[in-house]
Amino acid sequence: MIRQDTRNIKRWPAYCLAFSLILPAWAHAGDASQLLQQSIDQIIVLLKDKTLDRTDRRARMKSLIEKRFDFKVMSRFTLALDWRKATPTERDSFVQRFTRMVEASYLGRLEQYNGQKVEIRDERLRGDKAVVNTAIVTQNVDIPINYKMRREGNDWRIYDVQIEGVSLVRNYRDSYRTIIKNEGMSGLLTRMEKKIAELEKEDEAKTDKSPIASNKGDEPLN
Amino acid sequence: MTMVLRRPWAICRVLVIGAMLLTLLPGLSYAAGASEKGAPADVAGSSEGDPVLSFEDEFADEFADEGPIISDPIEPFNRAMFWFNDRLYFYLLKPVARAYRTVPEGARTSIANFFRNIHSPVRALNALLQLRIKATVEEVWKFSVNSTVGVFGLFDVTKGTGIDGADKDFGQTLGYYGIGQGPYLVLPFLGPSSLRDGVGKVADGYVDPIYVATERTTDVILITGAETINTLSLDKDTYEGIKRDALDPYSFIKNAYGQMRENKVKH
């Protein structure tokens, strides 16, 4: 009797392993939405948290965003054929710049948040890909935003965003391809570097104007 | 007054002119003309719950070399027009719209509702031409209710009832019958368009109640200018955002326009 018990206990790690291997196969409709909802909720909590100072909030937002957005896959899909031609170094610098550029563009916008509701409306699943339909509900209009997500093990990460039917990746791809054709990959990377510097400078200027507001909790975000 | 009442559309004309006066700056907006008509002034609230959404498109191979979404054989001309519209926006339309923002937002929203409502017959007609019966009925319903209960369309009383109406124009109708975008076209004052959508815009213009009521192109230009300023005053600086973020704003807008129109023809 005792021997049997110990045998069972000894098998536990094996059970756990088997279980964890089966789990990904159980991922079903709703998982992608749930993870997305979780990320959105966490970001909203940060945006509402007036005790955080700006640098701190930014750092936390970035880590939340990078957890849910797969910038590497986004980069791959953005460059498409040019990704195949690019050297590993070029790929790395593209991913890094792409990430920074998207963050520089959108972090400031997220900070304009003032209580709009984000609704998850629908999810469609096919194999390892899902499309989650959401909408930002504002006073005047609903802004439909669709997230395309891919499964990695138990995790779902975003690789494209469609706003009112316009896919960001498809949009970037079109203009980046033209730039690469005319100026080469290095030309594109230089342009991105310049754009990031511009955006970050502008962002700093905005904060410098109200250095107190960024630390003082009760000021509205803008 | 008797002259006004003799024609059924005359009451409409009075309303339109009233709304125009409300915008305070008819003179300036005349010079401004229309712009950014292709911009997403009222793109939300369409899509009819996207019944024909195909998985094939949505989950298409992201590595596929699909080529540009819209051809651009006259890019130098388009870029010149883009530059012209850009100057027009920053030097004229935006300052005017900004000054006009002193009018309470509620009033401006009502004016926007009024304009949206008055264009309703055009949308309904195109929905009908596209044999989208549900959308047609919805649009006619919205127009009837908002024109009466909603006081000549000033209030969108059907909002939030789940009735979307139809966001259809003749460019989409042509697309529905298999006609492609044709080359990309940036129109001075009017903004991004295409050969097909440009033709569509002219056709829609002829059946638009504002044209039917006024019968004069100058009036239409005036009113459209006023409408544009009102729309811009409610807009949260979309264009500035694009200019700020995009590596090449021209191609960003071209691609976004192409995708948006493609999407609207599908749904």
Side-chain angles (χ1 to χ4, degrees):
Chain A
M1 201 58 185
I2 291 165
R3 188 182 286 170
Q4 213 176 351
D5 272 350
T6 40
R7 204 182 288 156
N8 273 347
I9 288 166
K10 271 183 190 160
R11 279 182 190 159
W12 259 101
Y15 289 150
C16 286
L17 184 68
F19 194 66
S20 68
L21 286 175
I22 294 167
L23 255 184
W26 285 353
H28 52 79
D31 285 353
S33 309
Q34 261 175 33
L35 289 166
L36 182 66
Q37 179 83 62
Q38 215 177 65
S39 292
I40 292 170
D41 289 346
Q42 285 168 334
I43 287 173
I44 289 179
V45 166
L46 279 184
L47 289 167
K48 280 182 176 166
D49 187 348
K50 311 273 177 177
T51 59
L52 281 173
D53 77 356
R54 195 174 157 285
T55 348
D56 204 7
R57 184 176 54 232
R58 284 260 162 132
R60 290 195 200 188
M61 268 163 69
K62 274 186 191 172
S63 84
L64 282 176
I65 286 168
E66 281 164 33
K67 197 177 125 200
R68 192 55 57 217
F69 281 84
D70 195 333
F71 284 109
K72 194 166 175 202
V73 172
M74 270 178 122
S75 302
R76 232 171 67 202
F77 288 164
T78 297
L79 290 182
L81 293 174
D82 293 308
W83 175 269
R84 292 184 177 159
K85 289 182 214 147
T87 66
T89 338
E90 283 172 335
R91 288 179 183 178
D92 283 349
S93 22
F94 182 84
V95 175
Q96 189 231 341
R97 273 161 224 211
F98 186 74
T99 310
R100 272 175 67 203
M101 212 174 72
V102 171
E103 285 177 346
S105 300
Y106 290 99
L107 278 178
R109 284 197 195 158
L110 281 177
E111 283 172 349
Q112 290 173 3
Y113 176 83
N114 53 6
Q116 292 91 342
K117 238 173 73 190
V118 181
E119 283 178 3
I120 293 193
R121 296 194 163 162
D122 191 22
E123 174 183 326
R124 291 177 309 282
L125 191 71
R126 176 185 273 195
D128 282 342
K129 288 179 180 174
V131 179
V132 182
N133 292 3
T134 74
I136 300 178
V137 184
T138 71
Q139 214 180 347
N140 291 319
V141 285
D142 292 359
I143 304 163
I145 300 182
N146 298 346
Y147 293 92
K148 291 190 176 185
M149 300 174 83
R150 278 170 91 242
R151 181 164 64 204
E152 287 161 32
N154 280 329
D155 203 15
W156 286 87
R157 297 179 79 196
I158 299 160
Y159 70 93
D160 191 11
V161 183
Q162 281 181 316
I163 303 171
E164 309 211 52
V166 177
S167 142
L168 281 187
V169 165
R170 227 175 145 188
N171 191 308
Y172 287 133
R173 189 189 311 168
D174 226 21
S175 38
Y176 290 8
R177 175 165 298 164
T178 319
I179 294 170
I180 292 172
K181 216 164 72 189
N182 296 331
E183 301 166 32
M185 183 58 104
S186 61
L188 175 68
L189 293 173
T190 319
R191 275 213 201 196
M192 290 173 92
E193 194 59 53
K194 254 166 75 186
K195 183 52 89 181
I196 294 165
E198 251 172 63
L199 289 169
E200 284 178 351
K201 205 174 124 197
E202 194 184 313
D203 194 46
E204 267 168 43
K206 226 183 262 168
T207 0
D208 285 347
K209 255 185 251 165
S210 53
I212 308 158
S214 60
N215 289 320
K216 221 167 82 180
D218 50 3
E219 294 281 336
L221 305 172
N222 59 61
Chain B
M1 198 62 192
T2 43
M3 233 178 76
V4 169
L5 290 176
R6 210 175 294 155
R7 281 166 45 214
W9 275 112
I11 184 78
C12 205
R13 183 176 190 168
V14 170
L15 279 170
V16 166
I17 290 167
M20 236 178 62
L21 289 175
L22 273 173
T23 63
L24 301 174
L25 299 153
L28 274 171
S29 49
Y30 173 73
S35 96
E36 313 293 322
K37 229 3 211 336
D42 49 20
V43 276
S46 57
S47 88
E48 297 164 61
D50 44 8
V52 282
L53 216 144
S54 97
F55 266 74
E56 274 60 42
D57 292 333
E58 274 195 307
F59 294 93
D61 175 18
E62 280 79 6
F63 275 112
D65 190 13
E66 68 214 341
I69 191 153
I70 184 164
S71 71
D72 194 2
I74 50 162
E75 186 171 336
F77 169 82
N78 282 338
R79 280 200 185 260
M81 286 307 114
F82 182 80
W83 177 85
F84 172 79
N85 287 338
D86 180 84
R87 297 297 91 185
L88 184 75
Y89 179 88
F90 282 110
Y91 290 141
L92 187 66
L93 297 179
K94 199 65 204 195
V96 173
R98 201 167 285 143
Y100 170 61
R101 270 183 193 159
T102 45
V103 175
E105 194 180 336
R108 287 181 283 130
T109 305
S110 269
I111 293 170
N113 288 340
F114 172 81
F115 277 121
R116 190 174 159 72
N117 187 62
I118 210 159
H119 298 309
S120 175
V122 181
R123 294 194 295 272
L125 184 64
N126 280 299
L128 187 65
L129 288 173
Q130 293 172 36
L131 311 173
R132 299 179 195 269
I133 305 307
K134 182 171 165 267
T136 312
V137 172
E138 282 186 1
E139 191 60 47
V140 171
W141 167 254
K142 272 183 93 114
F143 182 63
S144 319
V145 174
N146 285 335
S147 300
T148 51
V149 185
V151 198
F152 306 114
L154 288 171
F155 302 96
D156 186 358
V157 286
T158 59
K159 191 178 183 278
T161 54
I163 295 164
D164 295 327
D167 199 5
K168 303 293 169 213
D169 55 53
F170 198 62
Q172 292 172 49
T173 302
L174 293 173
Y176 178 84
Y177 289 102
I179 295 169
Q181 288 271 20
Y184 184 57
L185 209 55
V186 181
L187 302 169
F189 301 102
L190 298 166
S193 192
S194 67
L195 188 59
R196 181 194 75 196
D197 293 342
V199 169
K201 216 171 265 187
V202 174
D204 283 335
Y206 275 106
V207 293
D208 195 285
I210 290 178
Y211 178 75
V212 174
T214 60
E215 287 175 343
R216 267 172 48 201
T217 318
T218 42
D219 288 356
V220 173
I221 292 171
L222 256 157
I223 294 162
T224 314
E227 183 181 357
T228 303
I229 295 294
N230 192 64
T231 307
L232 281 180
S233 81
L234 290 166
D235 174 66
K236 301 252 185 292
D237 300 339
T238 313
Y239 182 61
E240 282 92 329
I242 292 170
K243 282 269 293 194
R244 193 183 69 119
D245 291 339
L247 287 185
D248 179 8
Y250 171 82
S251 59
F252 181 100
I253 290 175
K254 175 169 74 178
N255 179 284
Y257 180 80
Q259 285 197 50
M260 209 168 70
R261 295 299 296 177
E262 190 183 86
N263 196 47
K264 285 199 170 185
V265 168
K266 267 190 238 157
H267 301 315

